[in-house]
Amino acid sequence: MNGDLLGTLAAASAAAFALAWLSAVAGFGGGVLLLPVFTALFGLRAAVPMLTLTQLASNGARVWFNRRDLNWPLVGWFALGAVPCAVAGGLLLAHAPLGPLKRLLGGFLIAVVLWRRINPHPRRPADRTFAGVGAASGLGSALLGSVGPLTAPFFLAYGLTRAAYIGTEAASALVMHTSKIAAYGAGNLLTRTVLLYGAALTPATLLGAWAGKKVVGRISDRLFVTLVEAGLVAAGVLFLLGF
């Protein structure tokens, strides 16, 4: 293995650890921040499926670490919308215009935080609402790599916090990412390079998820929600800037 390849793998592993740690603490956000790094290293068309492979490991670990607090009915409703839309988005990835979609999503995320500040006690969404949330998330995630911030306001409004929020969101995302991988395979996007790097980055991802789990149990619900909202704003700005 030459020096350039080792350097790329080291940079990607460090970023994958940060992804898993941040996701384990805030419940989302690592994928949004990791996508620009992977895009710079591998190019956008390879970065999106590669990011999905690392998210499989990250979300799987978060599900296991928070398995006692999962809300399985919400996961089921989310999957009902996410699976077909994730498959459709995965098949469209090779041809979709990603720039305008990213900027639209960025504006939406920042607007969500402003809305939460203006209306700090929104009505709790019904369980079936998460089928629509899953549909939008599945399509957007398949095209953009990660739209975890899109789902955060709905899980928070439902009343989930800390372990229940992190585990339920991770289980929902795990179903969605598995569907995306199947679609990427059908679209010939799972190249040898994507698969090799996805496997090589798994240890760093699992270690980051474990380290993040050690932190999340020590913070208050109020600080947790503040961290999530900060992540929403950061993700929105990145999308508006075109990352």
Side-chain angles (χ1 to χ4, degrees):
M1 187 177 289
N2 60 44
D4 289 342
L5 189 58
L6 281 174
T8 300
L9 181 59
S13 294
F17 175 89
L19 149 75
W21 184 89
L22 179 61
S23 296
V25 172
F28 77 93
V32 173
L33 300 175
L34 186 59
L35 183 58
V37 178
F38 276 14
T39 300
L41 292 173
F42 308 108
L44 182 62
R45 300 298 175 188
V48 172
M50 193 178 298
L51 177 61
T52 300
L53 289 173
T54 64
Q55 288 175 317
L56 281 175
S58 175
N59 283 291
R62 286 157 54 201
V63 169
W64 176 254
F65 293 143
N66 300 283
R67 61 191 181 278
R68 294 184 179 88
D69 298 287
L70 298 183
N71 186 315
W72 286 110
L74 286 191
V75 175
W77 279 107
F78 186 94
L80 185 64
V83 170
C85 289
V87 171
L91 295 175
L92 288 171
L93 176 61
H95 309 289
L98 305 183
L101 184 59
K102 281 187 177 182
R103 287 188 285 272
L104 178 63
L105 181 59
F108 171 77
L109 294 178
I110 294 174
V112 163
V113 175
L114 293 175
W115 175 76
R116 281 182 54 80
R117 289 294 173 177
I118 295 171
N119 182 26
H121 302 292
R123 180 187 301 177
R124 176 176 171 169
D127 288 16
R128 61 181 177 274
T129 302
F130 285 85
V133 175
S137 182
L139 181 62
S141 181
L143 294 173
L144 301 175
S146 177
V147 292
L150 177 65
T151 67
F154 297 94
F155 285 111
L156 290 175
Y158 192 83
L160 301 180
T161 58
R162 293 197 285 184
Y165 167 70
I166 291 171
T168 302
E169 189 277 338
S172 300
L174 187 62
V175 174
M176 178 178 65
H177 292 320
T178 302
S179 304
K180 287 163 53 182
I181 288 295
Y184 293 151
N188 296 319
L189 292 173
L190 294 180
T191 64
R192 182 173 179 269
T193 299
V194 168
L195 293 173
L196 286 176
Y197 271 100
L201 295 173
T202 297
T205 302
L206 295 176
L207 183 60
W210 175 82
K213 173 61 176 175
K214 297 295 183 181
V215 173
V216 73
R218 301 177 183 177
I219 62 177
S220 67
D221 287 348
R222 183 175 181 179
L223 177 58
F224 176 84
V225 173
T226 300
L227 288 173
V228 172
E229 290 185 336
L232 286 170
V233 172
V237 170
L238 287 174
F239 278 136
L240 285 173
L241 292 175
F243 288 101

